[in-house]
């Protein structure tokens, strides 16, 4: 099991009802999971808790076999860097850097040179794999939004994460590019053997993944 939520509840100040009400979810290795649900139903909150970016009020997150220690910021960011890759709705690439420099950003904290070199080669191979090897020295403004989003996907994978978390990764793309991105994500997920949780409001995208869950009124149900 890569990650597991055990009866996780979460609410925000001034809210009458809980965003998440004793939500449990098991994420085995090498699997793809879609989380759907209406806007404001707590999908991002759930993903942020899985990614240690937010904390549960009660219940537990078990990540790679242990419960993260939220009070140790350094430790938790090490765990996050090692285990988890994030893809968001906007690509968040740095405009002043080339695509190659952008995908190398997660490698900055690495101190082991051979590890760094390997990850760098992996990033370049992934860029080639998704048809962007000619664009390595371009800046984000010189390529399309779809190409930026595919680069952000490689940036999330360069550290070989065991868990990839994607929050509406196709939200800024037209339907053709959305479909291309999700197909590439799925191919890479199977090839590389990580697990992936994708938040999407699109049923068309959700049903491409192995398991589909719906979040509604604080509860999560497999559909
Ligand atoms: P979704 O991703 O399904 O659209 P979210 O997880 O973003 O839903 O939000 C769920 C609910 O929690 C919404 O009502 C939202 O306004 C509220 N919410 C999310 N984050 C915060 C926050 N940091 N502070 C207060 N309320 C929040």
């Amino acid at each position: 099991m890569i990650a597991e939520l055990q009866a996780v509840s979460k609410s925000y100040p001034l809210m009458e009802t809980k965003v998440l009400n004793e939500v449990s979810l098991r994420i085995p290795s090498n699997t793809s999971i879609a989380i759907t649900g209406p806007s404001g139903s707590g999908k991002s909150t759930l993903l942020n808790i899985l990614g240690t970016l937010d904390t549960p009020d009660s219940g537990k997150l078990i990540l790679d076999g242990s419960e993260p220690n939220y009070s140790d910021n350094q430790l938790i960011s090490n765990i996050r860097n090692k285990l988890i890759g994030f893809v968001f709705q906007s690509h968040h690439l740095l405009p002043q850097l080339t695509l190659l420099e952008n995908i190398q950003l997660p490698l900055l904290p690495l101190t082991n040179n051979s590890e760094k070199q390997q990850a760098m080669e992996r990033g370049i191979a992934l860029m080639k794999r998704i048809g962007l090897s000619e664009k390595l020295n371009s800046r984000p403004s010189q390529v399309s939004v779809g190409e930026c989003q595919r680069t952000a996907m490689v940036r999330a994978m360069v550290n070989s994460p065991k868990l990839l978390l994607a929050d509406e990764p196709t939200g800024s793309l037209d339907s053709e590019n959305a479909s291309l991105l999700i197909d590439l994500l799925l191919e890479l997920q199977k090839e590389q053997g990580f697990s992936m949780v994708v938040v999407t409001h699109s049923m068309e995208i959700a049903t491409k993944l192995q398991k589909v869950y719906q979040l509604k009124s604080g509860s999560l149900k497999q559909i």
Side-chain angles (χ1 to χ4, degrees), residues 12 15 19 38-45:
Y12 292 108
M15 258 187 179
V19 181
S39 178
S41 61
K43 303 183 295 298
S44 299
T45 302

Side-chain angles (χ1 to χ4, degrees), residues 59 61 86 89 115 133 158 171 194:
L61 164 69
F86 294 95
Q89 180 167 353
E115 211 178 309
S133 55
V158 84
F194 54 82

Side-chain angles (χ1 to χ4, degrees), residues 25 31-32 44 50 56 61 92 107 111 115 136 144-145 147 150-151 183 187 208 222:
L25 174 66
T31 193
S32 60
S44 299
L50 275 173
L61 164 69
H92 297 299
L107 309 179
T111 48
E115 211 178 309
L136 288 173
S144 71
V145 179
E147 288 169 332
R150 277 185 270 151
T151 303
D183 290 345
E187 275 173 35
K208 289 185 178 214
Q222 192 171 354

Side-chain angles (χ1 to χ4, degrees), residues 10-15 17-20 35-48 54 167-168 199 215:
K10 179 79 182 177
S11 50
Y12 292 108
L14 306 178
M15 258 187 179
T17 52
K18 292 179 182 172
V19 181
L20 303 176
I35 309 279
T36 62
S39 178
S41 61
K43 303 183 295 298
S44 299
T45 302
L46 186 149
L47 208 69
N48 288 342
D54 205 347
D167 196 349
E168 297 279 5
V199 160
L215 191 58

Side-chain angles (χ1 to χ4, degrees), residues 41-112:
S41 61
K43 303 183 295 298
S44 299
T45 302
L46 186 149
L47 208 69
N48 288 342
I49 290 177
L50 275 173
T52 71
L53 297 174
D54 205 347
T55 53
D57 295 338
S58 62
K60 272 188 201 172
L61 164 69
I62 308 286
L63 207 49
D64 205 27
S66 55
E67 204 177 345
N69 176 359
Y70 295 102
S71 56
D72 188 337
N73 280 335
Q74 186 59 45
L75 197 68
I76 210 150
S77 74
N78 287 347
I79 292 175
R80 205 181 292 139
N81 288 341
K82 208 169 126 234
L83 281 181
I84 306 173
F86 294 95
V87 181
F88 299 99
Q89 180 167 353
S90 309
H91 54 76
H92 297 299
L93 298 180
L94 295 183
Q96 68 276 31
L97 301 184
T98 64
L99 300 190
L100 179 62
E101 287 162 346
N102 266 288
I103 63 165
Q104 290 172 347
L105 280 178
L107 309 179
L108 287 177
L110 296 185
T111 48
N112 179 323

